[in-house]
């Protein structure tokens, strides 16, 4: 079996500061948490930015540039920047930082979808900042836009323009077919890094049979032209990433996807989650890929060709 690539999604744009005191908010916290995750075994660091004052998601390239160079200087990890951004951002806003940074890799969502996280704050008694509750509540009437034209435009501007490759985020089976359409039309080329995502309301549910079905579907559609990875939201994170490893896949963990390390126990860092899944996979006799090995597997351009 191939070595397993561990990705770590450090902060994201779903969870809010009131949900965990350990969620990285400031550029200093994001850089420190990313470096620790890389040291724990993450070959890829997936990054969003937040307003350092109130923790709200921000597309501001100036904020990204406060932590991107520091992470690069202190690790060899592949830096993967979001093109999904935050739920209220326009497509142009979502692309500002990636187009400036020209990273080795960016996430790319493979379809428009309902993206409902309105119940995520049900247990919060007191909110730290006024933006948090409305941000979550409004998602029951929200569509996360990623049209075919949007997708093709991102590939053209980032991929063909700057040599960036993509983590194709597939929240449902239909997203795999969208990606297959793009592959057939030669909009994208292999090896495709396909991230199957489970447990977001609006996407495919976190049931083991769905994970196996996603793998079977991707095998039929992409054959040997893809590299498979799995993430799952919340309490499903460790179980699903373990299943992915057993079934020949790669894994993604991080505080973007789950704030917990165990039942009722908040993770104190991204590195804690990386270390846990690494330990599980190594106990199953699986080997963990280094950043250099991840670059070779995914045919990335190299960290010396980025814009930061």
């Amino acid at each position: 079996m191939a070595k397993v690539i561990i990705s770590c999604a450090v902060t994201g744009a779903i969870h809010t500061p009131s949900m965990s005191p350990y969620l990285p908010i400031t550029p200093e916290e994001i850089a420190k948490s990313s470096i620790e995750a890389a040291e724990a075994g993450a070959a890829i660091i997936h990054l969003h930015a937040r307003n350092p004052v109130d923790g709200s998601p921000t597309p501001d390239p100036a904020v990204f540039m406060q932590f991107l160079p520091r992470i690069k200087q202190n690790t060899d990890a592949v830096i993967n920047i979001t093109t999904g951004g935050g739920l209220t951002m326009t497509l142009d806003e979502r692309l500002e930082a990636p187009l400036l940074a020209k990273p080795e890799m960016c996430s790319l969502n493979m379809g428009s979808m309902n993206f409902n996280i309105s119940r995520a704050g049900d247990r919060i008694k007191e909110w730290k900042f006024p933006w948090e509750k409305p941000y979550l509540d409004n998602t029951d009437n929200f569509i996360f836009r990623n049209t075919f034209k949007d997708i093709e435009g991102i590939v053209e501007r980032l991929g063909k323009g700057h040599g960036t490759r993509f983590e194709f985020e597939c929240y449902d089976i239909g997203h795999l077919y969208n990606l297959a359409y793009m592959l057939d039309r030669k909009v994208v080329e292999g090896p495709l890094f396909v991230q199957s995502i489970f447990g977001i309301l609006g996407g495919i549910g976190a049931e083991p049979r769905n994970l196996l079905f996603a793998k079977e579907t991707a095998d039929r559609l992409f054959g040997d032209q893809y590299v498979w990875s799995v993430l799952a939201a919340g309490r499903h994170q460790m179980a699903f990433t373990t299943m992915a490893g057993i079934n020949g896949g790669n894994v993604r963990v991080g505080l973007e996807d789950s704030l917990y390390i165990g039942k009722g126990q908040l993770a104190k860092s991204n590195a804690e989650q990386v270390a846990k899944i690494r330990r599980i996979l190594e106990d199953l006799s699986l080997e963990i890929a280094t950043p250099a090995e991840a670059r070779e597997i995914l045919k990335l351009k190299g960290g010396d060709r980025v814009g930061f």
Side-chain angles (χ1 to χ4, degrees):
M1 297 177 70
K3 293 187 178 182
V4 180
I5 299 169
I6 300 177
S7 296
C8 182
V10 171
T11 187
I14 294 175
H15 298 120
T16 72
S18 297
M19 297 177 185
S20 172
Y22 307 112
L23 185 68
I25 298 298
T26 67
E28 171 72 20
E29 291 168 346
I30 291 171
K32 181 175 182 291
S33 197
S34 299
I35 294 164
E36 291 172 349
E39 290 171 345
I44 298 175
I45 304 296
H46 175 62
L47 294 164
H48 293 240
R50 291 180 179 265
N51 183 322
V53 176
D54 65 4
S56 58
T58 179
D60 188 352
V63 178
F64 276 90
M65 286 302 176
Q66 291 178 52
F67 56 76
L68 291 177
R70 181 175 168 192
I71 297 168
K72 182 185 174 185
Q73 289 162 7
N74 287 274
T75 80
D76 188 38
V78 174
I79 293 178
N80 171 345
I81 299 177
T82 179
T83 67
L87 302 181
T88 60
M89 298 175 194
T90 67
L91 181 61
D92 284 341
E93 288 174 332
R94 287 156 50 184
L95 290 178
E96 284 178 357
L99 287 172
L100 176 66
K102 307 174 183 61
E104 293 183 79
M105 177 165 279
C106 279
S107 62
L108 179 51
N109 300 78
M110 288 311 299
S112 300
M113 60 182 289
N114 293 316
F115 200 107
N116 188 346
I117 53 173
S118 60
R119 303 296 302 276
D122 282 0
R123 298 180 183 178
I124 304 300
K125 299 294 189 288
E126 288 188 35
W127 298 92
K128 292 182 179 179
F129 301 103
W131 70 269
E132 296 178 75
K133 190 174 188 300
Y135 178 82
L136 299 173
D137 288 348
N138 290 339
T139 62
D140 66 359
N141 191 34
F142 171 75
I143 295 174
F144 182 26
R145 173 183 165 146
N146 299 282
T147 67
F148 284 96
K149 186 174 182 180
D150 292 341
I151 294 166
E152 193 162 351
I154 291 171
V155 173
E156 184 70 28
R157 295 171 69 186
L158 265 177
K160 296 177 182 177
H162 297 299
T164 298
R165 293 187 65 81
F166 297 96
E167 170 202 6
F168 295 103
E169 296 197 337
C170 297
Y171 291 80
D172 217 334
I173 297 301
H175 292 180
L176 295 172
Y177 283 88
N178 293 349
L179 181 55
Y181 170 78
M182 294 291 182
L183 181 65
D184 183 61
R185 292 186 55 236
K186 295 183 171 44
V187 174
V188 299
E189 61 182 25
L192 308 174
F193 188 40
V194 177
Q195 189 76 254
S196 290
I197 301 171
F198 301 89
I200 294 293
L201 185 57
I204 196 167
E207 298 180 36
R209 70 184 70 187
N210 288 341
L211 183 145
L212 297 175
F213 180 48
K215 174 69 161 57
E216 292 166 2
T217 303
D219 284 344
R220 290 197 308 273
L221 293 175
F222 309 124
D224 62 358
Q225 296 188 76
Y226 87 110
V227 177
W228 186 51
S229 184
V230 165
L231 74 88
R235 63 187 175 87
H236 305 288
Q237 182 187 69
M238 290 297 165
F240 267 63
T241 50
T242 301
M243 279 187 64
I246 291 169
N247 284 279
N250 303 283
V251 303
R252 187 176 111 174
V253 296
L255 296 180
E256 173 175 350
D257 304 333
S258 173
L259 294 174
Y260 291 84
I261 193 65
K263 186 175 182 179
Q265 182 182 358
L266 288 171
K268 294 181 179 178
S269 69
N270 281 283
E272 191 176 12
Q273 291 185 350
V274 173
K276 181 172 181 176
I277 192 59
R278 178 176 187 168
R279 183 171 64 252
I280 291 169
L281 295 173
E282 289 181 335
D283 283 348
L284 294 169
S285 299
L286 296 169
E287 293 185 83
I288 307 304
T290 66
E293 289 167 336
R295 286 184 173 92
E296 176 59 29
I297 292 166
L298 300 173
K299 306 304 180 191
L300 303 182
K301 65 182 181 180
D304 59 335
R305 296 178 60 196
V306 300
F308 55 91

